[in-house]
Structures are given as C-alpha cells and as structure tokens.
Amino acid sequence: MTSRGEPMRSVVVAGGGIVGWSAAAALRRRIPALQVTVLPIPTGADALADRIGVTLPSVLEFHDDIGISEGDVLGRIGCTYRLGTSFEGWSDDLPDYVHAYGDYGRALGTTSFHLHWIRAAHAGRVPPFDSYSATAAMGRAARFVHPRGEPDSPLAAFGYGLRVDPDRYRQMLRAYALHLGVAEQAGTIAGIELRGEDGFLAALRLDDGTALAADLFVDCTGPAARLRSAIDARFDSWSDWLPCDRLLFAEAAAAAEPPSLDRAVALPSGWRWESALPSAAAHGLAYVSALLGDSKAARVLQTSAAVEPAEAPVTIRQGRRPEPWLRNCVVIGDAAVAVEPLEWTNLHLAHSMIDRMVAKMPDRDGSAVELWDYNRESEAEALRVRDFLQLHYATAARPKNDFWRAAAAAPLPDSLAHSLRLFRERGRLPYYEEETFTRGSWAAVLLGQGVMPRRTDPIIDIIPAEQADRAMRDLRERISQTVPTLPSQAAYLRHIVASARR
Amino acid sequence: MGERVNIVVVGGGTAGWMTAAALVKLLPRRCSVHLVESEAIGIVGVGEATLPHIRSFNERLGIAEAEFMSWTRATFKLGIEFQGWGAEGESYIHPFGTFGYGAGEIDFHQYWLRLRQAGVAVPDLEQFSMGATIARMNRFQLPASDPSSLSSTYGYAYQFDATLFAPYLRAIAERLGARRTEGRVVAVNRNAVSGDIESLTMESGETIAGDLFVDCSGFISLLIGKAFGEPFQDWSHWLPNDRAIAMPCRTETALSPYTGVIAMPAGWRWRIPLQHRTGNGYVYSSQYIGDDEAREALVASVEGEPIAEPRILRFRAGRRERSWVRNCVAVGLASGFLEPLESTSIYLIQQAITYLVELFPEREIVSSDRDEFNRLIDMEYDRIRDFLILHYHATRRSGTPFWDYVRTMPIPDSLAEKMELFRRRGRVVKYREGVFLDASWVAVYLGQGVIPEGHDLRADAPPIDSLARGMEKLHADIRQAAARMPSHREHLDAYCPMAKVA
C-alpha cells in the first residue's frame, strides 16, 4: 500500500500519437523527478487530436511550458499561421463570418464593444461585426504579422494558432520527449492487471510478456481508451446535442499561398473543413450517418471541395467520460472528450488536460480530493466546449435543410439555454468558470450567425451613440488602412525563415 | 428605447442610497428613482471597513477619492490583522494583494513551502507580502501601476464612517434627480393576478407606485421577506454568531492602515481606526454569552475613552433563496447577512447593484435577467460563506464552548474538500471570478495553522540554492521599499484630512 505524502514516481503513458508524446514531454519537463515511459501504441483514426494539425492560440503557451519555442517548430518541421476560421453558409441570407482570435472592436470605457454594435444594428444598417476585427480582416486578406505590441495599433495584441503536419509534429514531440529523458517501450497491450485491494491499475502486460508497472497510467489512446476501459465503461453521450457521427478525411496539394483562416463550410447535410497545413491542404466532412450514406458523403466532398476521400469514413461518438481521473488512471485527449473538429478544440483540450494533470498531480495514493478538483474543473471545461460547439448548430439558419432544421430544434443543455436566452434578450454573455472561448468568440459566432438581441443593453447608455459611431468608423478606417500594408502570410513566412537562417 | 422604469427604493441606509445613486448616475435615461425612508427607523450603517472593490464603485459614480475620504473621515485599509484565531497569542495579516510578485503560473507559496519543507530558514509568508509589510509598519502609499514594481502587488480599501457615507451618496443621488419621501411604509399592495408589487402605502396615506421595487429595508426585509415570503437559507449552524455590540472610542494607539479582528471567548471583536475615532464591536453568539457579559467584555477591551453608548444588533447568517423575485430586488441586509469578519457587507451591496445595473430590465421583466442575477448573487454568497467558515473551523483554540463548537462542527463538503486539498500539497481551488481569490485563502490557511504536508511538484524545478537566494533578496527588497513610504498618518494628513469638527 502506498501512503499519503509519497509523490508519484513513475508514469506510463499509453498512446504514441501527438497527445501521448505531448503528455510525456510535459510530465518529464515539469516534474523532473518523474520516470516517464511511453508505450507508443498507435491510436485509431478517430483520435482526432492526434491527426488534425490545426491548433488554437493556446498551443503556444503549451509549447512554452514544455520548452519548445515557435522558432523550434518553424525551423524543424515548418508551420503556417492561423488567425481563426471562416464560417461559410451557416445562415442563409447572411455573408460568411470570421471567428478570429483577436478583439472585435474596442471596449468603450467599461462597456463591451459588441453591445455598441448591437445598438448600431438596431438603429439601421451596420457593417458586419467581424469587420471591426483587425485580426479577422488580416485573416480574410491572407496576410500575417506577429502582434505588434504598440498599444495604439489595432494589431497590438491578438491570438493565433499554428498549423502543422501531424506526422512530423508527432515525430518532433517524440524526439523532444526522448531528449528530456522519457523512456520508450515498444509493444502492444496483451492484458491489464489490476490491484486486488483497490482496483487500481498495477501493470500493463505486453505481448512479449513484459509487465509495465507504474504509479500512474495516462491513457492517450484516443476514444478507445484502452486503459480506462479496463476499469470503467461509463460514457456521457452528447449525441442529442452534437449529432454528427461520421467524418471523412481527404488531402490535396498544399496551396502556394497559405490562407490565414481555415474554412468551415455548411453543406445541406453536414459541414466540411479545409485547412492549409504546411505540406498539404487537409479537407474533411462531418455528417450524420442516418441522414447521409457514406458513398453519398464521398460525393458531397468531391463536388463541394473537389477532393477524393483518402480513407474509409471514420465513426465518432461525441461525449465525455465522467470522472476522467479515476483511481490511478487519467484519460487525456479524445479518450476523455470526443468532439467533432468544429472550432479545433481536440488538441486544445488535450493540452489543457495535460496542463491540469501536471498542476494537480496527486500522491501515489491517488487521493480523492485531488481527483475531485481535477474532475470538477475538467467537467466544467468540457461542458462549456460542448455548449460552444452546439451553439453553432442551435443558431445556424438553414431552414431548407432537414439536417439543419433538426440541429436547430435539438434540446439545449441548461447552461447553453441560459446563455442563449440572455443573449437573445439583451446581448449579455454569462461567464462560467473554465470557459475556453472568450466572450468575444461567443459574440463573433452569435452575431455572425445572425442572432440579434431583442434590445440594446442600457449599460451602454453612458456612451452616447454618436461617440460610439465615431469610434466604430475610426476603427474600420484604421483597419482598412493597416491591413493592406501587411505582408501576405507566404511572404512573411519566407522572411522569417530566411532571417532565422541568417 | 423602452419607457422609463419607475424604481422605488425602500430604505435609506447604505444600501438604499448606494442603489439610488448608482441607478440615477449610470442609467439616467432608463429609470426614475424614488426612495422612501423613515428617519424614525435607525440605520445599521454596516461595514465601516470595506474591500478594494469599493474604489471602482466610487469611480463609476465620479466620486473623487480625497474628497470622499475627507468627508467620511476615512483611513486606508491594506488588509485585516487576525489576532488569536489560529491559537491564543497568534497574529497574521490577510492582505489585499499577492505574495511575492504575484506573477507566474506556480503560486509563490509553493516555492516557499518547498524551502520550508527542505529545512531552509525562510521568514513567515506574510513577510513576502508588500501589503502586509507596509501595514505592520503603519505606513501607506498609493500602489504603483507598473506591474513589474513590487508596489503594484497590493491593493487597498477604506475604513470610514458608514453613517456619513449614506448622506454623501444621498447628495449625489438627489442632485441627479432621485426623489425622496420621508415616512413609514404601512402596506405593500400587490396585483391580484400577477402577484407583482404595484405600490406602497405610506403612513401619510400617500401611495407610491412603481415598476421595480428595490428592497433596502435591512434586516426587516419588508418586501422580499415580509411581502413575498421568500424562504431564508439559515446558515447559523456554520456561522453561529447572531449578535453584535458596537461602541466607538477615542483612538489611543497608532493609526493602523488595517482593520483589527480579535478572537474573543464567544466570537470576535473588531477594531477599525478612522481619522477621528476607532470603531469597536463584539460579534458573538447568544447561545454562548449573554448580552450584558458581552457588553462588559467590549467596554473592558477598547483602547480609549468610549464616545457613545454600546449599541446592540441582532441578525442571523444566511441568505434568501432568491434575491430577485418578481419585480422586487433585495439589496444588502434584506437579501442576506454574513457577519463582517471579512468586511463583505458593503461589497455584497455593491455586487447586487452592479448586477442590477448590468441586468437592468424593462418595465416588463423577463425571467432570464432575474435568473442570471440570482445565479451571480448566489455564487457571491456561497463563496464568502465557505471562506468565513474556514476562519472558525481552522483553529486550535479550545476550552470555551463557542470555539469548541466551531472547531469541531461539521462543515460544508465544498469547504472540507478545499481544506484537505490545501493540507496535502498547498493547492488552492482556483476561481477566475468572485471575491477572495487564491492569495486570500493561502493567507488564512497558513495564518491559522493549516500547514501543507507537501508542495506542488512543479516547484521542485529550480535549483534550491538560487530559489533561497531569490527569496532572501525579495524579502529585503520588500522591507526596503516599505520603509521608504510615509507613515499612514502623514499620508492622510497630506491627502485627505477630515474637515475640522465644528
């Protein structure tokens, strides 16, 4: 038996994908006393965090925490930059909109910009909400520069993510983890041994007879959750809320000029994505198998994106495992939360879970209270990501399509219902703990999809409408002056790669 | 814009005039405010000591700090000194602000714990708080805005004469158009169909109609309690104090820039130095001590000549299930009561007003606004509740029935888990929103002898020698920076001397 106060000494990470190697590197780097062993079993086609090389801005913090710089990524494996996603066709009669990772407008005093935009929209015609985001404008123009820091510039501060080739990224992380002292144990799992007294995992029995014992087992094996499944099969399905259960993947040649936005295009019976990785353009289609047959889905992707599916359709089951840290086994990535790649949260969630695992590392006894804290935060985070994804469906306006009508009519979880009611009433966005997306992101999607609050929030009365209008005009002018002076992403990448070599 | 909302505020104490002033100032075109109060009914004048949040409230009302402080005879408050809470004879300061530089992902106290546990002689954590250090030296200076400066790591609030605050706000409110009617409310008239309040009948026979009624009637809770019968959640089994005796006296000792909270045999005593006098009070449980005995104990313990007769207050810890019911919003004591141990009374009033302004309704009130208001108020109360219970439960005091009870009473699960989490490796449950964030919990845990057995393993990353040297330097830097500041009295005399009493 282990006792209180004895720190974890050894960890086995199961899963040889991006998530597994990221977890191993983080554990080793941030808790140097840990012995970390990776069992690099391949993860399934449905392990999305392992196969989609599209990240949110949080990736940079994660890299920084484990000691990888942006220059390392660029120099070793190459990357492209992304400022957000262009949502196309999500509401009939409305133009495309951009969910960018930068400010939308500027707060006036203590009042949020989006409330001023709503007031202007109530008063008459107003340019789209995203036209007040310099980041969105830079993204639309396929340009890119790093944030400039000057407090006065509309590009002073904004977030951006990276796109990487998943395979090369995984190799880089593996090399880095090994460099940090992570051990690699080849093999496949033949059996899982449990401790009789408390049901904790004792060891993984490998096909060659080796027993891989550890204090803690980190399950990065994707939705199959190979380790966790040995002790618990519970799964909270979100299929009532997020109906897509099938994905098709395809690839095309890389664009010569990488765009700065990824695309999420609504189609009559699903949506498709397009993302410019460094060495290829990644495509995909998400749909509901009961409404669209697989062969028909392949034709949809062919006609809408002019690409051939590269493999058989992938079945996904959206939802989460309750108590992601159970006994001495913690599920990370798609093993814990499985969602479609809309808004690219799969790898982001994996990073967040890794970070939380490191921060809340319990002792060898797997104390209930530390698991409680980990699980409490994990649940709050997962549910709000679910809410944010469902928001796209709940507010999409494509009444001519059965798929979209059903999605819009689906019941809402209480927290999303509350958010939507408040926003529809007055444009207010309630904030919950462990929120992944900012209020700006919520507003970008809501207003981009045409959800117009019934009234203007009185809280902005203190700023006269004329003053707000002037500020809005000035901002648009500065954005339209600034963006054309920026280099294209392709030119910018050539420039920074060249100066790094000098 | 909809029609103006006619607001009737019942009660003219601190809550009533704060509400009236904020509404007419922030929503001048949305509402008309009519306040009814009776000079025959005394005011409680809660909270002579405040939290830093009050500064933003004053700022939004356009109140100039020096003038306000001069008018209310205010002093600065850097935190609270708790005497005899962990055990007889002990003292610690709960400062407003952080420990160390307050930056970085790993909390400062984790490094401190690591050094202590390694046997390195490091001073008490309090000595790494700029705010606590200045407080102990009886000095004061406004914090710096440069985040890299140690002088930016503390905040401050005020200690002021609450009976002068309400008249100060009344002048602002009336200047901006608030009406006031003197007299007692004798009837609350409700619509027979909807149940909403339609009007109040005054003793004079006058009827005062309104759309929204704000119950600032204090403990009597005239509208939400008496008229609506909203249930009261009783927390007295966790917070058994139900009486306070207050008595001001002349100041004999140094003018401390902090509030004193001194453990007493059946409760605790406050000591709040203002410019012209010191406020004192004994908060106790009538189960454990009689009023006469408490009065004698207070009179015997104050430092200078009494200025007024002791005055007794009766209360009960808890809150209304909902603070906004139909067209009635309760603000202040009408909505709930938490003893002033952490100076939260005015803070709770302010939050209720802030949320009311943020969720300001139309004449026809929608439920989503009410729901959000109640969600936020509940969160505020519940967080403060656990924090207060911690002060009583985390004690080694014994030998008096009061302390024996609170030391051994069952506590809410939410608190038990937080305490156990801290005991193991010094971890604090993190919140992004609300009052009393990490550093406050750390101050009270360590101050009252809840000492972690271990520390966050991430704090093991830096070499121990450089960590110890860095700590030593930080300690010296804090002492030097504090020693350069003027005394509290000097600063007050230069900045905001009170008007000479005629």
Side-chain angles (χ1 to χ4, degrees), chain A residues 238-308:
Chain A
W238 294 341
S239 61
D240 286 348
W241 296 314
L242 297 169
C244 289
D245 59 356
R246 211 54 76 89
L247 302 176
L248 261 185
F249 289 85
E251 257 186 29
E257 294 272 321
S260 298
L261 299 175
D262 301 292
R263 298 176 68 198
V265 184
L267 301 172
S269 46
W271 66 277
R272 71 174 184 90
W273 70 87
E274 196 175 322
S275 191
L277 307 185
S279 65
H283 289 262
L285 176 72
Y287 58 100
V288 177
S289 57
L291 297 178
L292 187 68
D294 289 337
S295 54
K296 227 173 155 194
R299 280 202 300 283
V300 167
L301 196 54
Q302 282 156 356
T303 45
S304 60
V307 288
E308 292 293 327

Side-chain angles (χ1 to χ4, degrees), chain A residues 3 13 54 61 100 115 139 154 179 183 256-257 275 428 449 476 479:
Chain A
S3 69
V13 177
V54 184
E61 285 162 53
L115 298 176
H179 163 76
E257 294 272 321
S275 191
R428 182 182 168 91
Q449 299 203 162
R476 267 172 62 88
I479 291 172

Side-chain angles (χ1 to χ4, degrees), chain A residues 4-8 29-32 65 110 119 355 358-363 365 367 369-370 372-373 376-377 418 421-422 425-426 428 430-435 439 454-459 461-462, chain B residues 1 25-30 60 105-106 355 357-362 366-369 371-372 375-376 383 414 416-418 420-421 423-425 427-433 453 456-458 460-461:
Chain A
R4 168 183 184 118
E6 253 185 76
M8 293 281 185
R29 166 87 181 189
R30 304 188 66 200
I31 310 181
D65 285 346
T110 56
R119 174 164 65 183
D355 199 42
V358 169
K360 304 199 185 285
M361 184 61 68
D363 291 339
D365 61 355
S367 140
V369 70
E370 272 142 356
W372 161 81
D373 193 35
R376 181 184 61 81
E377 280 187 15
H418 181 62
R421 279 198 303 144
L422 261 182
E425 169 63 16
R426 61 191 303 150
R428 182 182 168 91
Y431 200 73
Y432 291 84
E433 294 287 336
E434 308 307 328
E435 196 90 71
R439 287 187 169 112
R454 186 180 71 80
R455 63 183 174 121
T456 303
D457 197 313
I459 200 155
D461 281 0
I462 46 169
Chain B
M1 194 182 303
K25 173 75 181 182
L26 300 174
L27 298 167
R29 291 181 296 150
R30 303 280 176 163
R60 287 179 79 188
E105 199 198 344
I106 304 166
Y355 296 141
V357 168
E358 287 183 7
L359 293 160
F360 196 73
E362 294 176 316
V366 299
S367 61
S368 56
D369 290 345
D371 294 347
E372 176 71 351
R375 180 179 85 96
L376 293 166
R383 294 224 176 126
S414 51
E417 276 153 348
K418 286 175 193 146
E420 173 66 4
L421 199 59
R423 272 197 201 100
R424 294 180 65 101
R425 291 193 173 272
R427 293 193 176 103
V428 184
V429 170
K430 305 259 180 192
Y431 298 116
R432 277 187 246 182
E433 305 224 326
E453 293 159 15
D456 188 325
L457 298 176
R458 293 175 299 170
D460 285 333

Side-chain angles (χ1 to χ4, degrees), chain B residues 81-92 136 396 446-449:
Chain B
E81 187 206 11
F82 287 89
Q83 288 179 25
W85 282 76
E88 201 87 54
E90 291 184 357
S91 155
Y92 71 93
R136 291 275 188 206
R396 282 154 284 133
L446 292 177
Q448 298 202 184

Side-chain angles (χ1 to χ4, degrees), chain A residues 402-442:
Chain A
D402 293 345
F403 171 87
W404 291 100
R405 264 204 318 277
L412 303 176
D414 289 346
S415 47
L416 178 58
H418 181 62
S419 294
L420 268 172
R421 279 198 303 144
L422 261 182
F423 190 84
R424 287 194 165 118
E425 169 63 16
R426 61 191 303 150
R428 182 182 168 91
L429 289 160
Y431 200 73
Y432 291 84
E433 294 287 336
E434 308 307 328
E435 196 90 71
T436 293
F437 290 96
T438 62
R439 287 187 169 112
S441 288
W442 282 80

